[in-house]
Amino acid sequence: MKKTAILFISFVTAIMLQAQSAPVVDVYTMPGCSRCTHVVNYLKKNNIKYNEFSTSNNENRTKMWSLLKSPKSGFSGGSVTMPVVEFNGKLYYNIPNLNEFEASILAASKGGKSDDLKKEVKPDAANSVTQKFRDNILSRHNFYRKKHSAPDLAWDSEIEKYAQQWADKLASENRMYHRQPNKYGENIYWISGGDSNGIDAVDAWYSEIKQYNFNKPGFSMSTGHFTQVVWKGSTLIGCGKAKSKNGGVYVVCNYSAPGNYSGKFKENVLPAGGGNITPSESPKNELPTEINVYVSSKSVSNQFFNGSSMKVLPIANNYKGSDGVYIAVYTKKSKGSVYTVGNGIYVAGLIRVKGKWKGNIAVPEGWDDYDISASKDFSKFAAYYYPAFADTCWVGGDTGDLIK
């Protein structure tokens, strides 16, 4: 009996030591959070012990916020991008790169140190406007305004606060819409993941110039961002930035005096060429805002083929970095679309986003294991750039045969 008891105690001790060497990961999630599902599925797949606490439960939500507000967390307030993860006594939130974070958790669970976790998983700056962001936004606006003989804008801190309030609201609701009523002019930009340096937002807005008819000046939903950027009567600007719980980043810029006044376009939106632009000032790597495609009743290509007719496919350049991909905007509305892919489905245009190619399939950043065609966020995103199809649009990544 004595010998058996000793063996039993040794066995229990071994279990305790093993448990101590493999700490449990606590994951705070929320319903509908794809990033949360990504982390939980990774932990399951790699047999990493974890506890999931859904914040749909009031007790779990209270506990999570208690952890965030503790002095050791480093949390400075504002919204939080889910999930929130507690591991080895440390709290991780606003995690910008889930793949790297998950790999670090796996390494630490196999005997590594928790200090080996990527430092970048600590709070990021997506919910704060840095001086670099201000400089980028302002200089990019003034670069384009100079081309259209418009005076330079000046930064206004009060307008920045106003814009930041709306950016925070959009991020909290995870949707895009304009502030009403609004005492300023307003432009809004969204990317599905990563961060915005400000330049990408202004470039995306200005890219609408290709759709503006200077011979028939006036407002259009497809050119309103461009006309506000170069509106001659605007003199002040302030911008805000915020990240949603799903990882999307919202940029809001407000302008004083506001632009896009009916009957005032001719004197405020001037054709390019009036300013003194030197070649060295030109934006590098200008991206196309449209491509020619050749379509028949059964096929589409970027090259002419017998029986095809040429169509112009518009592109909204939401992202201008080198690591960009093109997603297609699909709709069931034939009017205004470019071509059909069959079964009552049509293509309205393309949107360039940050991501990577898997063969000929475009995969937006952070969406490796998810179907973007089923995402309501991407549907809202598509509707923002193609408002004529707002009620019946979605996106897909099968575009590599047309453009890369």
Side-chain angles (χ1 to χ4, degrees):
M1 289 292 293
K2 186 176 181 180
K3 184 176 182 180
T4 303
I6 292 173
L7 288 173
F8 179 74
I9 291 171
S10 299
F11 180 65
V12 171
T13 303
I15 293 176
M16 291 174 64
L17 289 173
Q18 184 179 7
Q20 290 171 1
S21 65
V24 175
V25 182
D26 287 344
V27 186
Y28 291 85
T29 64
M30 65 177 292
C33 170
S34 60
R35 288 166 53 88
C36 302
T37 304
H38 195 287
V39 171
V40 170
N41 286 344
Y42 183 90
L43 297 174
K44 286 181 181 177
K45 180 181 177 181
N46 290 279
N47 297 316
I48 300 172
K49 293 182 179 181
Y50 73 95
N51 297 315
E52 181 179 358
F53 301 96
S54 173
T55 54
S56 61
N57 177 283
N58 289 334
E59 186 177 339
N60 292 339
R61 185 166 60 252
T62 300
K63 183 179 179 182
M64 183 191 77
W65 282 106
S66 177
L67 290 170
L68 285 167
K69 292 176 181 179
S70 67
K72 293 182 180 180
S73 74
F75 179 63
S76 56
S79 61
V80 173
T81 301
M82 301 292 281
V84 172
V85 178
E86 187 177 24
F87 181 65
N88 267 359
K90 295 185 179 180
L91 198 65
Y92 301 90
Y93 51 94
N94 293 348
I95 303 169
N97 190 318
L98 288 182
N99 292 329
E100 289 190 7
F101 176 71
E102 290 163 347
S104 299
I105 286 281
L106 179 61
S109 69
K110 290 184 176 180
K113 297 178 180 179
S114 59
D115 292 340
D116 294 335
L117 290 175
K118 300 290 183 181
K119 292 181 180 179
E120 64 201 48
V121 304
K122 287 298 183 181
D124 60 30
N127 280 64
S128 61
V129 173
T130 64
Q131 190 57 48
K132 181 65 175 176
F133 179 82
R134 295 186 186 97
D135 292 343
N136 285 344
I137 286 268
L138 186 61
S139 64
R140 202 61 166 174
H141 270 87
N142 289 337
F143 165 77
Y144 286 126
R145 291 173 65 83
K146 188 176 182 181
K147 294 179 71 172
H148 294 266
S149 302
D152 284 354
L153 295 172
W155 194 269
D156 186 279
S157 58
E158 289 304 311
I159 299 179
E160 176 188 323
K161 292 178 183 177
Y162 188 84
Q164 185 62 52
Q165 289 173 356
W166 194 246
D168 288 339
K169 181 174 176 61
L170 295 180
S172 67
E173 297 179 6
N174 200 33
R175 64 188 182 117
M176 290 176 70
Y177 63 102
H178 285 289
R179 190 174 196 156
Q180 293 292 344
N182 199 329
K183 58 184 177 181
Y184 300 116
E186 185 173 78
N187 277 345
I188 304 174
Y189 173 76
W190 176 82
I191 51 175
S192 61
D195 197 7
S196 168
N197 62 8
I199 294 175
D200 52 344
V202 186
D203 284 350
W205 295 330
Y206 185 82
S207 70
E208 295 175 353
I209 186 176
K210 290 294 182 71
Q211 302 176 62
Y212 188 75
N213 188 344
F214 287 94
N215 294 320
K216 295 181 178 180
F219 178 76
S220 166
M221 288 293 290
S222 61
T223 58
H225 302 97
F226 156 68
T227 51
Q228 176 60 86
V229 167
V230 301
W231 192 266
K232 190 174 182 180
S234 297
T235 58
L236 300 174
I237 187 175
C239 305
K241 181 176 65 164
K243 177 175 281 191
S244 73
K245 293 178 180 179
N246 287 351
V249 175
Y250 294 81
V251 176
V252 176
C253 284
N254 287 124
Y255 306 81
S256 181
N260 291 339
Y261 271 110
S262 179
K264 301 292 184 181
F265 281 79
K266 186 175 181 179
E267 61 263 41
N268 281 284
V269 183
L270 307 179
N276 298 315
I277 303 297
T278 64
S280 62
E281 291 176 313
S282 300
K284 298 179 180 178
N285 303 320
E286 282 293 341
L287 295 167
T289 56
E290 60 186 36
I291 60 169
N292 295 334
V293 294
Y294 299 86
V295 302
S296 68
S297 59
K298 296 181 179 180
S299 186
V300 59
S301 173
N302 57 10
Q303 301 292 327
F304 174 79
F305 60 93
N306 288 335
S308 68
S309 60
M310 191 190 79
K311 304 285 185 180
V312 177
L313 187 64
I315 301 173
N317 288 307
N318 174 265
Y319 178 74
K320 285 207 168 187
S322 59
D323 52 343
V325 295
Y326 297 86
I327 57 176
V329 178
Y330 295 100
T331 177
K332 291 186 177 181
K333 185 185 292 186
S334 62
K335 185 178 179 180
S337 65
V338 181
Y339 63 90
T340 180
V341 294
N343 298 320
I345 298 174
Y346 302 85
V347 175
L350 303 177
I351 305 176
R352 195 172 192 271
V353 298
K354 187 175 183 180
K356 60 186 177 183
W357 292 100
K358 285 190 175 180
N360 285 325
I361 305 298
V363 181
E365 183 181 50
W367 288 79
D368 300 66
D369 302 319
Y370 304 99
D371 180 9
I372 61 173
S373 67
S375 167
K376 292 182 179 180
D377 289 341
F378 270 107
S379 292
K380 295 174 185 176
F381 180 46
Y384 185 74
Y385 282 103
Y386 294 89
F389 308 95
D391 54 340
T392 63
C393 67
W394 67 97
V395 303
D398 191 6
T399 58
D401 286 332
L402 294 179
I403 185 171
K404 273 194 175 182

